[in-house]
Amino acid sequence: MATKRDYKKEYAEYHGKPEQIKNRAERVKARRIMEKEGAVSKGDGKDVDHKLALKDGGTSARSNLRVRSVKSNRGDKK
């Protein structure tokens, strides 16, 4: 049987770190840029993808963003 996730511990050890907070803000910023352009909307089954990932030094500049289906975006690199 699976153990319950300790969300408080996850936040303290990972999600609450300044670097991760900055990355999350960049992802939200990217989504907002694409929503403003009309490329995506809430509940449309699309993800905003960074061509060069944030962890690899990418930014949320428009030239580094693209719209992909949830299935294709989350199925990468597995």
Side-chain angles (χ1 to χ4, degrees):
M1 190 148 88
T3 59
K4 287 183 73 174
R5 283 176 65 178
D6 188 350
Y7 291 99
K8 194 174 195 176
K9 181 181 176 194
E10 278 184 37
Y11 187 83
E13 293 180 359
Y14 182 76
H15 298 292
K17 301 287 184 190
E19 182 182 356
Q20 296 309 319
I21 292 171
K22 184 177 178 259
N23 286 340
R24 183 171 61 245
E26 284 294 316
R27 287 189 296 272
V28 170
K29 180 180 172 183
R31 180 84 185 178
R32 297 284 184 261
I33 289 168
M34 298 303 266
E35 284 177 349
K36 194 171 186 179
E37 285 184 11
V40 294
S41 61
K42 193 172 184 177
D44 64 359
K46 302 292 181 188
D47 274 350
V48 174
D49 177 44
H50 290 83
K51 295 174 189 173
L52 178 62
L54 295 174
K55 68 179 181 176
D56 297 330
T59 65
S60 286
R62 178 60 184 96
S63 59
N64 192 42
L65 301 177
R66 63 184 169 187
V67 178
R68 299 180 74 195
S69 72
V70 170
K71 185 175 181 179
S72 65
N73 190 46
R74 298 182 193 181
D76 285 351
K77 300 178 185 174
K78 298 235 175 175

Coordinates of all heavy atoms in Angstrom, one line a residue:
M1 N 0.8 -1.2 0.0 CA 0.0 0.0 0.0 C 0.9 1.2 0.0 O 1.9 1.3 0.7 CB -0.9 0.0 1.2 CG -2.0 1.0 1.2 SD -3.5 0.6 2.0 CE -3.2 1.1 3.6
A2 N 0.5 2.2 -0.8 CA 1.3 3.4 -0.9 C 1.2 4.3 0.3 O 0.2 4.3 1.0 CB 0.8 4.2 -2.1
T3 N 2.3 4.9 0.7 CA 2.3 5.8 1.8 C 1.8 7.2 1.4 O 1.8 7.6 0.2 CB 3.7 6.0 2.4 OG1 4.6 6.5 1.4 CG2 4.3 4.7 2.9
K4 N 1.3 7.9 2.4 CA 0.7 9.2 2.1 C 1.9 10.2 1.8 O 2.9 10.1 2.4 CB -0.1 9.8 3.3 CG -1.4 9.0 3.4 CD -2.2 9.6 4.5 CE -2.8 11.0 4.1 NZ -3.7 11.5 5.1
R5 N 1.7 11.1 0.9 CA 2.7 12.1 0.6 C 2.7 13.2 1.7 O 1.7 13.6 2.2 CB 2.4 12.8 -0.7 CG 2.7 12.0 -1.9 CD 2.3 12.7 -3.2 NE 3.0 13.9 -3.5 CZ 2.9 14.6 -4.6 NH1 2.0 14.3 -5.5 NH2 3.6 15.7 -4.8
D6 N 3.9 13.6 2.0 CA 4.1 14.6 3.0 C 4.4 15.9 2.3 O 5.5 16.3 2.0 CB 5.3 14.3 3.9 CG 5.5 15.2 5.1 OD1 4.8 16.2 5.1 OD2 6.3 14.9 6.0
Y7 N 3.3 16.6 2.0 CA 3.4 17.9 1.2 C 4.2 18.9 1.9 O 4.9 19.7 1.2 CB 2.0 18.4 0.8 CG 1.3 17.5 -0.1 CD1 0.3 16.5 0.3 CD2 1.5 17.5 -1.5 CE1 -0.3 15.7 -0.6 CE2 0.9 16.7 -2.4 CZ -0.1 15.8 -1.9 OH -0.7 14.9 -2.8
K8 N 4.1 19.0 3.2 CA 4.8 20.0 4.0 C 6.3 19.8 3.8 O 7.1 20.8 3.6 CB 4.4 19.9 5.4 CG 4.8 21.1 6.3 CD 4.2 20.9 7.7 CE 4.3 22.2 8.4 NZ 3.6 22.1 9.7
K9 N 6.7 18.6 3.9 CA 8.1 18.2 3.7 C 8.6 18.5 2.3 O 9.7 19.1 2.1 CB 8.4 16.7 4.0 CG 9.8 16.3 3.9 CD 9.9 14.8 4.2 CE 11.4 14.4 4.0 NZ 11.5 13.0 4.0
E10 N 7.8 18.2 1.3 CA 8.1 18.4 -0.1 C 8.3 19.9 -0.3 O 9.3 20.3 -1.0 CB 7.0 18.0 -1.1 CG 7.0 16.5 -1.4 CD 5.9 16.2 -2.4 OE1 5.6 17.0 -3.3 OE2 5.3 15.1 -2.3
Y11 N 7.4 20.7 0.2 CA 7.6 22.2 0.1 C 8.8 22.7 0.7 O 9.6 23.5 0.2 CB 6.3 22.9 0.6 CG 6.4 24.4 0.3 CD1 5.9 24.9 -0.9 CD2 6.9 25.3 1.2 CE1 6.0 26.2 -1.2 CE2 7.0 26.7 0.9 CZ 6.5 27.1 -0.3 OH 6.6 28.4 -0.7
A12 N 9.1 22.2 1.9 CA 10.3 22.7 2.7 C 11.6 22.3 2.0 O 12.6 23.0 2.0 CB 10.3 22.1 4.1
E13 N 11.6 21.1 1.4 CA 12.8 20.6 0.8 C 13.0 20.9 -0.7 O 14.1 20.8 -1.2 CB 12.9 19.1 1.0 CG 13.1 18.6 2.4 CD 13.2 17.1 2.6 OE1 13.1 16.4 1.6 OE2 13.3 16.7 3.7
Y14 N 11.9 21.2 -1.4 CA 12.0 21.5 -2.8 C 11.2 22.7 -3.3 O 11.8 23.7 -3.8 CB 11.6 20.2 -3.6 CG 11.8 20.4 -5.1 CD1 13.0 20.3 -5.7 CD2 10.7 20.6 -5.9 CE1 13.2 20.4 -7.1 CE2 10.8 20.7 -7.3 CZ 12.0 20.7 -7.9 OH 12.2 20.8 -9.2
H15 N 9.9 22.6 -3.2 CA 9.1 23.7 -3.8 C 9.3 25.0 -3.2 O 9.0 26.0 -3.8 CB 7.6 23.2 -3.8 CG 7.3 22.0 -4.5 ND1 7.4 21.9 -5.9 CD2 7.0 20.7 -4.1 CE1 7.1 20.7 -6.3 NE2 6.9 20.0 -5.2
G16 N 9.7 25.1 -2.0 CA 9.9 26.4 -1.3 C 11.2 27.0 -1.5 O 11.5 28.1 -1.0
K17 N 12.1 26.4 -2.2 CA 13.5 26.9 -2.4 C 13.4 28.1 -3.3 O 12.6 28.1 -4.3 CB 14.4 25.9 -3.0 CG 14.6 24.6 -2.1 CD 15.4 24.9 -1.0 CE 15.7 23.6 -0.2 NZ 16.3 23.8 1.1
P18 N 14.1 29.1 -3.1 CA 14.1 30.3 -4.0 C 14.2 30.0 -5.5 O 13.6 30.6 -6.3 CB 15.2 31.2 -3.5 CG 15.4 30.8 -2.0 CD 15.1 29.3 -2.0
E19 N 15.1 29.1 -5.8 CA 15.3 28.8 -7.2 C 14.1 28.2 -7.8 O 13.7 28.5 -8.9 CB 16.5 27.8 -7.4 CG 16.8 27.4 -8.8 CD 17.9 26.4 -8.9 OE1 18.5 26.0 -7.9 OE2 18.2 26.0 -10.0
Q20 N 13.4 27.3 -7.1 CA 12.2 26.7 -7.6 C 11.0 27.6 -7.7 O 10.2 27.6 -8.6 CB 11.8 25.4 -6.7 CG 12.9 24.4 -6.8 CD 13.2 24.0 -8.2 OE1 12.4 23.9 -9.1 NE2 14.5 23.8 -8.4
I21 N 10.9 28.6 -6.7 CA 9.9 29.6 -6.7 C 10.1 30.4 -8.0 O 9.1 30.8 -8.7 CB 9.9 30.4 -5.4 CG1 9.5 29.6 -4.2 CG2 9.1 31.7 -5.6 CD1 9.7 30.3 -2.9
K22 N 11.3 30.8 -8.3 CA 11.6 31.6 -9.5 C 11.3 30.8 -10.8 O 10.7 31.4 -11.7 CB 13.1 31.9 -9.5 CG 13.6 32.8 -10.7 CD 15.1 33.1 -10.5 CE 15.5 33.9 -11.7 NZ 16.2 33.2 -12.7
N23 N 11.6 29.5 -10.8 CA 11.2 28.7 -12.0 C 9.7 28.6 -12.2 O 9.2 28.7 -13.3 CB 11.8 27.3 -11.9 CG 13.3 27.3 -12.1 OD1 13.8 28.2 -12.7 ND2 13.9 26.2 -11.7
R24 N 9.0 28.5 -11.1 CA 7.5 28.4 -11.1 C 6.9 29.7 -11.6 O 6.0 29.7 -12.5 CB 6.9 28.1 -9.8 CG 5.4 27.9 -9.8 CD 4.8 27.4 -8.5 NE 5.1 28.2 -7.3 CZ 5.9 27.9 -6.3 NH1 6.5 26.7 -6.2 NH2 6.1 28.7 -5.3
A25 N 7.5 30.8 -11.2 CA 7.1 32.2 -11.6 C 7.3 32.3 -13.2 O 6.5 32.9 -13.9 CB 7.8 33.3 -10.9
E26 N 8.4 31.8 -13.7 CA 8.7 31.8 -15.1 C 7.7 31.0 -15.9 O 7.3 31.4 -17.0 CB 10.1 31.3 -15.4 CG 11.2 32.3 -15.0 CD 11.2 33.6 -15.9 OE1 11.0 33.5 -17.1 OE2 11.3 34.7 -15.3
R27 N 7.3 29.8 -15.4 CA 6.3 29.0 -16.0 C 5.0 29.7 -16.1 O 4.3 29.7 -17.1 CB 6.2 27.6 -15.4 CG 7.4 26.7 -15.6 CD 7.2 25.3 -15.2 NE 7.0 25.2 -13.7 CZ 8.0 25.1 -12.8 NH1 9.3 25.0 -13.3 NH2 7.8 25.0 -11.6
V28 N 4.6 30.3 -15.0 CA 3.3 31.1 -15.0 C 3.3 32.2 -15.9 O 2.4 32.5 -16.7 CB 3.0 31.5 -13.5 CG1 1.8 32.5 -13.5 CG2 2.7 30.4 -12.6
K29 N 4.5 32.9 -16.0 CA 4.7 34.1 -16.9 C 4.5 33.6 -18.3 O 3.9 34.3 -19.1 CB 6.0 34.7 -16.6 CG 6.4 35.8 -17.5 CD 7.8 36.3 -17.2 CE 8.3 37.4 -18.1 NZ 9.7 37.8 -17.8
A30 N 5.1 32.5 -18.7 CA 5.0 32.0 -20.0 C 3.6 31.7 -20.4 O 3.1 32.0 -21.5 CB 5.8 30.7 -20.1
R31 N 2.8 31.1 -19.5 CA 1.4 30.8 -19.8 C 0.6 32.1 -20.0 O -0.2 32.1 -20.9 CB 0.8 30.0 -18.6 CG -0.6 29.6 -18.7 CD -0.8 28.4 -19.6 NE -2.2 28.1 -19.8 CZ -2.7 27.1 -20.5 NH1 -1.8 26.2 -21.0 NH2 -3.9 26.9 -20.7
R32 N 0.9 33.1 -19.2 CA 0.2 34.3 -19.3 C 0.5 35.0 -20.6 O -0.4 35.6 -21.3 CB 0.6 35.3 -18.2 CG 0.2 34.8 -16.8 CD -1.3 35.0 -16.5 NE -1.6 34.6 -15.2 CZ -2.1 33.4 -14.8 NH1 -2.3 32.5 -15.7 NH2 -2.4 33.1 -13.5
I33 N 1.7 34.9 -21.1 CA 2.1 35.5 -22.4 C 1.3 34.9 -23.5 O 0.7 35.5 -24.4 CB 3.6 35.3 -22.7 CG1 4.4 36.2 -21.7 CG2 4.0 35.6 -24.1 CD1 5.9 35.9 -21.7
M34 N 1.2 33.5 -23.5 CA 0.5 32.8 -24.5 C -1.0 33.0 -24.4 O -1.7 33.1 -25.4 CB 0.8 31.3 -24.5 CG 2.3 31.0 -24.7 SD 2.9 31.7 -26.3 CE 2.7 30.3 -27.3
E35 N -1.6 33.2 -23.2 CA -3.0 33.5 -23.1 C -3.3 34.8 -23.6 O -4.4 35.0 -24.3 CB -3.4 33.4 -21.6 CG -3.5 32.0 -21.0 CD -3.8 32.0 -19.5 OE1 -3.8 33.1 -18.9 OE2 -4.1 30.9 -19.0
K36 N -2.4 35.8 -23.4 CA -2.6 37.1 -23.9 C -2.7 37.2 -25.4 O -3.4 37.9 -26.0 CB -1.5 38.1 -23.4 CG -1.8 39.5 -23.5 CD -0.8 40.4 -22.8 CE -1.2 41.8 -22.9 NZ -0.2 42.7 -22.1
E37 N -1.9 36.3 -26.1 CA -1.8 36.2 -27.5 C -3.0 35.5 -28.1 O -3.3 35.5 -29.2 CB -0.6 35.5 -28.0 CG 0.7 36.3 -27.9 CD 1.9 35.5 -28.5 OE1 1.7 34.5 -29.1 OE2 3.0 36.0 -28.3
G38 N -3.7 34.7 -27.2 CA -4.9 33.9 -27.6 C -4.5 32.5 -28.1 O -5.3 31.8 -28.7
A39 N -3.2 32.2 -27.9 CA -2.7 30.9 -28.3 C -3.3 29.7 -27.5 O -3.4 28.6 -27.9 CB -1.2 30.8 -28.3
V40 N -3.5 30.0 -26.2 CA -4.0 29.0 -25.3 C -5.1 29.6 -24.4 O -5.2 30.8 -24.3 CB -3.0 28.4 -24.3 CG1 -1.9 27.6 -25.1 CG2 -2.3 29.5 -23.5
S41 N -6.0 28.8 -23.9 CA -7.0 29.2 -22.9 C -7.2 28.2 -21.9 O -6.8 27.0 -22.1 CB -8.3 29.6 -23.6 OG -8.8 28.4 -24.2
K42 N -7.8 28.6 -20.8 CA -7.9 27.7 -19.7 C -8.8 26.5 -20.1 O -9.9 26.6 -20.7 CB -8.6 28.4 -18.5 CG -8.6 27.7 -17.2 CD -9.1 28.6 -16.1 CE -9.0 27.9 -14.8 NZ -9.5 28.8 -13.7
G43 N -8.3 25.3 -19.8 CA -9.1 24.1 -20.0 C -9.0 23.6 -21.5 O -9.8 22.7 -21.9
D44 N -8.1 24.1 -22.3 CA -8.1 23.7 -23.7 C -7.2 22.5 -24.0 O -7.1 22.0 -25.1 CB -7.6 24.9 -24.6 CG -6.1 25.3 -24.3 OD1 -5.5 24.7 -23.4 OD2 -5.7 26.2 -24.9
G45 N -6.6 21.9 -23.0 CA -5.8 20.7 -23.1 C -4.4 21.0 -23.7 O -3.8 20.1 -24.3
K46 N -4.0 22.2 -23.7 CA -2.7 22.6 -24.2 C -1.7 23.0 -23.1 O -2.1 23.5 -22.1 CB -2.8 23.7 -25.2 CG -3.7 23.5 -26.4 CD -3.2 22.4 -27.3 CE -4.1 22.2 -28.5 NZ -3.6 21.1 -29.3
D47 N -0.4 22.7 -23.3 CA 0.6 23.2 -22.4 C 1.5 24.2 -23.2 O 1.6 24.1 -24.4 CB 1.5 22.0 -22.0 CG 1.0 21.2 -20.8 OD1 0.0 21.7 -20.2 OD2 1.6 20.2 -20.5
V48 N 2.1 25.1 -22.4 CA 3.0 26.0 -22.9 C 4.4 25.4 -22.6 O 4.7 25.1 -21.5 CB 2.9 27.4 -22.3 CG1 4.0 28.3 -22.8 CG2 1.6 28.0 -22.7
D49 N 5.2 25.1 -23.7 CA 6.4 24.5 -23.6 C 7.6 25.4 -23.8 O 7.5 26.3 -24.7 CB 6.5 23.3 -24.6 CG 7.8 22.6 -24.7 OD1 8.3 22.3 -23.6 OD2 8.3 22.3 -25.8
H50 N 8.6 25.3 -23.0 CA 9.9 26.0 -23.3 C 10.7 25.2 -24.2 O 11.1 24.0 -23.8 CB 10.6 26.3 -21.9 CG 9.9 27.3 -21.1 ND1 8.9 27.0 -20.2 CD2 10.1 28.6 -20.9 CE1 8.5 28.0 -19.6 NE2 9.2 29.1 -20.0
K51 N 11.1 25.7 -25.3 CA 11.9 24.9 -26.3 C 13.3 24.6 -25.6 O 13.7 23.4 -25.7 CB 12.2 25.7 -27.5 CG 11.0 26.0 -28.3 CD 11.3 26.9 -29.5 CE 10.0 27.4 -30.2 NZ 10.3 28.4 -31.2
L52 N 13.9 25.5 -24.9 CA 15.1 25.3 -24.1 C 14.6 25.4 -22.7 O 14.2 26.4 -22.2 CB 16.2 26.3 -24.4 CG 17.5 26.1 -23.5 CD1 18.1 24.8 -23.8 CD2 18.4 27.3 -23.8
A53 N 14.6 24.3 -22.0 CA 14.0 24.2 -20.6 C 14.7 25.2 -19.7 O 15.8 25.5 -19.8 CB 14.2 22.8 -20.1
L54 N 13.9 25.6 -18.7 CA 14.4 26.6 -17.7 C 15.6 26.0 -17.0 O 16.5 26.7 -16.7 CB 13.3 26.9 -16.7 CG 12.1 27.6 -17.3 CD1 11.0 27.8 -16.2 CD2 12.5 29.0 -17.8
K55 N 15.6 24.7 -16.7 CA 16.7 24.1 -16.0 C 18.0 24.1 -16.8 O 19.0 23.9 -16.3 CB 16.3 22.6 -15.5 CG 16.2 21.7 -16.7 CD 15.8 20.3 -16.2 CE 15.7 19.3 -17.3 NZ 15.5 18.0 -16.9
D56 N 17.8 24.2 -18.1 CA 19.0 24.2 -19.0 C 19.4 25.7 -19.4 O 20.2 25.9 -20.3 CB 18.7 23.4 -20.3 CG 18.5 21.9 -19.9 OD1 19.1 21.5 -18.9 OD2 17.8 21.3 -20.7
G57 N 18.8 26.7 -18.7 CA 19.1 28.0 -19.0 C 18.2 28.8 -19.9 O 18.5 29.9 -20.4
G58 N 17.0 28.2 -20.2 CA 16.0 28.8 -21.0 C 15.3 29.9 -20.3 O 15.4 30.1 -19.1
T59 N 14.6 30.8 -21.1 CA 13.9 31.9 -20.5 C 12.4 31.8 -21.0 O 12.0 30.9 -21.7 CB 14.5 33.2 -21.0 OG1 14.3 33.3 -22.4 CG2 15.9 33.3 -20.7
S60 N 11.6 32.8 -20.5 CA 10.2 32.9 -21.0 C 10.1 33.9 -22.1 O 9.0 34.4 -22.2 CB 9.3 33.2 -19.8 OG 9.2 32.1 -18.9
A61 N 11.1 34.1 -22.8 CA 11.0 35.0 -24.0 C 10.1 34.3 -25.0 O 10.1 33.1 -25.1 CB 12.4 35.2 -24.6
R62 N 9.3 35.1 -25.8 CA 8.4 34.5 -26.7 C 9.0 33.6 -27.7 O 8.5 32.6 -28.1 CB 7.6 35.7 -27.4 CG 6.6 35.2 -28.5 CD 5.6 34.3 -27.8 NE 4.6 33.8 -28.8 CZ 4.7 32.6 -29.4 NH1 5.7 31.8 -29.1 NH2 3.8 32.2 -30.2
S63 N 10.3 33.9 -28.1 CA 11.0 33.0 -29.1 C 11.3 31.7 -28.5 O 11.6 30.8 -29.3 CB 12.2 33.7 -29.5 OG 13.1 34.0 -28.4
N64 N 11.2 31.5 -27.2 CA 11.6 30.2 -26.6 C 10.3 29.4 -26.2 O 10.4 28.4 -25.6 CB 12.4 30.4 -25.4 CG 13.0 29.1 -24.9 OD1 13.5 28.3 -25.6 ND2 13.0 28.9 -23.5
L65 N 9.1 29.9 -26.5 CA 7.9 29.3 -26.1 C 7.2 28.7 -27.3 O 7.2 29.2 -28.5 CB 6.9 30.3 -25.5 CG 7.5 31.0 -24.2 CD1 6.5 32.0 -23.8 CD2 7.8 30.0 -23.1
R66 N 6.4 27.6 -27.1 CA 5.6 27.0 -28.1 C 4.4 26.3 -27.4 O 4.5 26.0 -26.2 CB 6.3 26.0 -29.0 CG 6.8 24.8 -28.2 CD 7.7 23.9 -29.1 NE 8.4 22.9 -28.2 CZ 9.3 22.1 -28.7 NH1 9.6 22.1 -29.9 NH2 9.9 21.3 -27.9
V67 N 3.3 26.1 -28.1 CA 2.1 25.5 -27.6 C 2.1 24.0 -28.0 O 2.3 23.7 -29.2 CB 0.8 26.2 -28.0 CG1 -0.4 25.5 -27.5 CG2 0.8 27.6 -27.6
R68 N 1.9 23.1 -27.1 CA 1.9 21.7 -27.4 C 0.7 21.0 -26.7 O 0.2 21.6 -25.7 CB 3.2 21.0 -27.0 CG 4.4 21.5 -27.6 CD 5.6 20.8 -27.2 NE 5.7 19.5 -27.8 CZ 6.5 18.6 -27.4 NH1 7.3 18.8 -26.4 NH2 6.5 17.4 -27.9
S69 N 0.3 19.9 -27.1 CA -0.8 19.2 -26.4 C -0.2 18.6 -25.1 O 1.0 18.4 -25.0 CB -1.3 18.0 -27.3 OG -0.4 17.0 -27.4
V70 N -1.1 18.5 -24.2 CA -0.6 17.9 -22.9 C 0.0 16.6 -23.1 O 1.1 16.3 -22.5 CB -1.8 17.8 -21.9 CG1 -1.5 17.1 -20.6 CG2 -2.3 19.2 -21.5
K71 N -0.6 15.8 -23.9 CA -0.1 14.4 -24.1 C 1.4 14.4 -24.7 O 2.2 13.7 -24.2 CB -1.0 13.6 -25.1 CG -0.6 12.2 -25.2 CD -1.6 11.5 -26.1 CE -1.2 10.0 -26.2 NZ -2.2 9.3 -27.0
S72 N 1.6 15.2 -25.7 CA 3.0 15.2 -26.2 C 4.0 15.9 -25.3 O 5.1 15.5 -25.2 CB 2.9 15.9 -27.6 OG 2.6 17.3 -27.5
N73 N 3.6 17.0 -24.7 CA 4.5 17.7 -23.8 C 4.9 16.9 -22.6 O 6.1 16.8 -22.3 CB 3.9 19.0 -23.4 CG 4.9 19.9 -22.7 OD1 6.1 20.1 -23.2 ND2 4.6 20.5 -21.6
R74 N 4.0 16.3 -21.9 CA 4.3 15.5 -20.7 C 4.8 14.1 -21.0 O 5.3 13.4 -20.1 CB 3.1 15.5 -19.8 CG 2.7 16.9 -19.4 CD 1.6 16.9 -18.4 NE 1.1 18.3 -18.3 CZ 0.1 18.6 -17.6 NH1 -0.6 17.8 -16.8 NH2 -0.3 19.9 -17.5
G75 N 4.8 13.7 -22.3 CA 5.3 12.4 -22.7 C 6.7 12.4 -23.1 O 7.3 11.4 -23.3
D76 N 7.3 13.6 -23.2 CA 8.7 13.7 -23.6 C 9.7 13.2 -22.5 O 9.3 13.2 -21.3 CB 9.1 15.2 -23.8 CG 8.5 15.7 -25.1 OD1 8.0 14.8 -25.9 OD2 8.6 16.9 -25.4
K77 N 10.8 12.8 -22.9 CA 11.9 12.4 -22.0 C 11.6 11.4 -20.9 O 11.9 11.6 -19.8 CB 12.5 13.7 -21.4 CG 13.0 14.7 -22.4 CD 13.5 15.9 -21.7 CE 13.9 17.0 -22.7 NZ 14.2 18.2 -22.1
K78 N 10.9 10.3 -21.3 CA 10.5 9.3 -20.4 C 11.3 8.1 -20.7 O 11.6 7.7 -21.8 CB 9.0 9.1 -20.4 CG 8.3 10.3 -20.0 CD 7.4 10.0 -18.9 CE 6.7 11.4 -18.5 NZ 5.8 11.4 -17.5

